Each structure stands twice: as C-alpha cells, then as structure tokens.
Amino acid sequence: MKKFLIATTALLGLAGHGLAQVSLTGAGATFPFPVLSKYFDEYLKVTNNQVRVNYQSIGSGGGQRQFIEQTVHFGASDNPFNDQQMAEIRRNTGSPALNIPFVLGAVVPTYNLPGVTQRLNFTGEVLADIFLGNIKTWNDPAIARLNEGVRLPPLPITVVHRSDGSGTTYVWTDYLTKVSPEWAQKVGRGNSVNWLAPNKVGGRGNEGVAGVVRNTPGAIGYNEVTYAVQNRILFGAVQNRAGRFMVADLPAIAAAANVVLPGDARVSLTNTQAPDGYPIASFSYLLVYEQLDKNKAFKSEAEARAFVQLLKWIVTEGQKYNEPLTYGRLTETAQARALALISRITYQGKPIGREIVGR
C-alpha cells in the first residue's frame, strides 16, 4: 500500500478553541489525489501548521472499506455509498454517513498507438466492444468509421484496467452500462468487475493504469483526465447523447454537472443529456460520519473541529485550485449541498458543523 503523507493545518480561527497539534488519517480514491495534494499544500501555507493528514491513495474501494472499519477519519470515493451501504452503516454505528462532493472530474479513454498523433474519436458502444473483447485490433472498421483519414495500424488491442477496487472503474463501467446493453448484461457497473477482454492487463491506481498504457504499444485504458495530462498520454474524444464528440475540458466537465442535485448529493453524471457536456464525468466525494464521535478514529473534540474546518475550506476557498489541475469547481448548487451536509456534523451532541459553517 502506497502511502502519501500530506501535511496540512487548521485555520487560524481554531486557536480560539485551544487546539493542540492534531493528526488526521484518510484513505481512498486516486481519482482526486492530485487536487487533494494541492489543497493540503496550500492549506499549510495559510494556517498555523496545526493538523497533519496521512492520506492513503489506495482506490475508492479501499477507502470505503477503511471508512466502514473506522480505521480512518474520512474516506474519499468517486462513487457515493449506495442505499444498502448507507443503511448498513447507520444500523452498525448509529450514525448516518455523509457523501460530501468536493471536486468534478472526468474519466477518459487513454491509448498508446505508435504513429498516430491525432486525437481519436470513440462512441460508448465502441468502447464497450473494445473492453468486452469484441473489437480486437486498432484497424477494426468500427474504429475506422469514427476516425476517417487516420491511418490506424493493425495492432492488437491490449485492454488496461484497474486491478484494485476503484471509483474510476465505477464511473467508467457506470457509463458503459448506460450505453451498451451487452455490457449491462455481461459485466455491469462496480468498483471491481469481471473484465472479459482476452488481452488485458491490470494496473493499480490511476498511476498504474497510466504507466501500463504509456509503456504498452497498442494499449487502451481509462484514467481521470489529470493523469492523462500529467503523463502526456493521448486520450480520446467521446460522443455524447447529442451526437457530439466531446473532449474532457473544463467547460464540458462543468456542463455535465448542470443537473438537479438531490439533498444528499448522491448522483451519477455519466451519459449526460447536456449537448455540450462530456459524457464520462463525476463528482468525487469525501466520506464522513455525521456523528463524528461514532467513528472510533476520532479521539477528541479538537480533532473533530480541525476536521470540519478543513472540510469547509476544501469546498469554499480550496475550489480555486481545481481548474489548474483540470478538475472542475463545484457548481453553486453542489457547493451549497456540500456546506449543508457539513453543517449537519456533530461531536458528542455538539453542533460543530453548524457552528463552523455558520448555517
């Protein structure tokens, strides 16, 4: 397990609560790790160096598991808990779980195709057929029809997928389930699925998938777009429901999030109806117990207050760091939902969320 130690600090206002130095732990998604790193680095500069966070970038599945086992103060996941998980957590702990959106991202098809420098076009059906193993070579007519004028080599396709439980996988397979009846029947959506393509390789984390794609001629994988940009890997445009081939840029990611957001903020953004939206977009969520004292990881009110201050900063001031890393800022509605959820947090009956958020 690769651990990333990230130093961060509590806001100056915490001094009024007599806060001693606090250590917090989190685990989960690799999808938002670059922006989480930036948040915590910047937070350190503007605060008193009172809080340290040890975040383990192990994938959404691992983060959900450690959150449920109460070995961390918070989890991070690209897919929120489902209804069954929410009910089980409440039944087992006495506290509801909160899924707090904090960033918008996108999953893109990354590929390594020697001699091809153009951005390729894909439809959801073609991506599903590639990952099902129905399309086995790059010069298949189904790919060629979408990319007229591109000289596609007769290379075998190597499918690269996540080997760990992954929210990025969930977002990817959630999309494929919506656009391909065969995929929905044979594979479906999940943090981990049964990959059917015969020529396949697993990689751990977004970093692992990016590395395999970069080093494997003929490979295709899926990555959060920031990893594609940072690793200088080509990634494709994907046709949305309006028939437009969309690149996962900031306007297209933001357009996908222009939805009616439920009060608990749990929502799927894939296969958006927005005509200018990228079809494989998603929020990433921080997983938090509403009653922090029900999480055995919290040992004091000081820890709880430091954590809630950090949450508030992430969904407000911290949002300005999203776009330089190719993540979308929370929409106004999503930010309001996030703050409302944070305001529900208590510790031993004290409404610390409401006190800190101010609502």
Side-chain angles (χ1 to χ4, degrees), residues 105-294:
V107 183
V108 296
T110 49
Y111 55 91
N112 178 348
L113 204 50
V116 175
T117 58
Q118 300 96 321
R119 190 188 302 279
L120 295 182
N121 291 329
F122 297 95
T123 63
E125 293 84 353
V126 164
L127 289 171
D129 279 341
I130 290 171
F131 279 76
L132 285 166
N134 297 336
I135 295 175
K136 298 180 174 63
T137 60
W138 278 103
N139 64 342
D140 187 283
I143 302 175
R145 279 193 297 271
L146 301 175
N147 296 280
E148 293 183 8
V150 180
R151 297 186 63 181
L152 296 167
L155 263 181
I157 295 175
T158 299
V159 166
V160 186
H161 61 85
R162 288 285 288 272
S163 60
D164 54 327
S166 159
T168 307
T169 296
Y170 184 92
V171 175
W172 183 252
T173 59
D174 181 53
Y175 171 68
L176 296 183
T177 297
K178 292 178 180 179
V179 298
S180 167
E182 184 179 1
W183 182 275
Q185 179 184 10
K186 293 182 177 179
V187 182
R189 58 175 64 84
N191 286 357
S192 298
V193 298
N194 180 28
W195 301 100
L196 298 181
N199 190 21
K200 59 183 181 288
V201 179
R204 188 168 185 82
N206 264 286
E207 307 94 327
V209 170
V212 175
V213 171
R214 189 177 56 243
N215 295 313
T216 308
I220 186 171
Y222 55 93
N223 285 101
E224 204 288 320
V225 65
T226 301
Y227 288 85
V229 172
Q230 291 182 345
N231 287 278
R232 297 177 180 169
I233 304 171
L234 289 174
F235 60 94
V238 182
Q239 189 179 53
N240 66 14
R241 289 174 68 173
R244 298 177 59 189
F245 288 96
M246 302 301 300
V247 177
D249 58 18
L250 290 172
I253 295 170
N258 187 22
V259 297
V260 176
L261 198 63
D264 64 8
R266 294 185 298 152
V267 69
S268 168
L269 303 180
T270 60
N271 202 28
T272 176
Q273 296 186 46
D276 53 351
Y278 179 73
I280 322 178
S282 177
F283 287 115
S284 197
Y285 296 85
L286 295 171
L287 310 176
V288 180
Y289 286 91
E290 182 175 315
Q291 300 171 39
L292 293 183
D293 51 291
K294 299 294 186 181

Side-chain angles (χ1 to χ4, degrees), residues 6-8 36-46:
I6 309 166
T8 184
L36 283 174
S37 299
K38 182 64 174 176
Y39 289 157
F40 297 142
D41 286 344
E42 294 300 327
Y43 196 54
L44 179 63
K45 296 175 186 176
V46 299

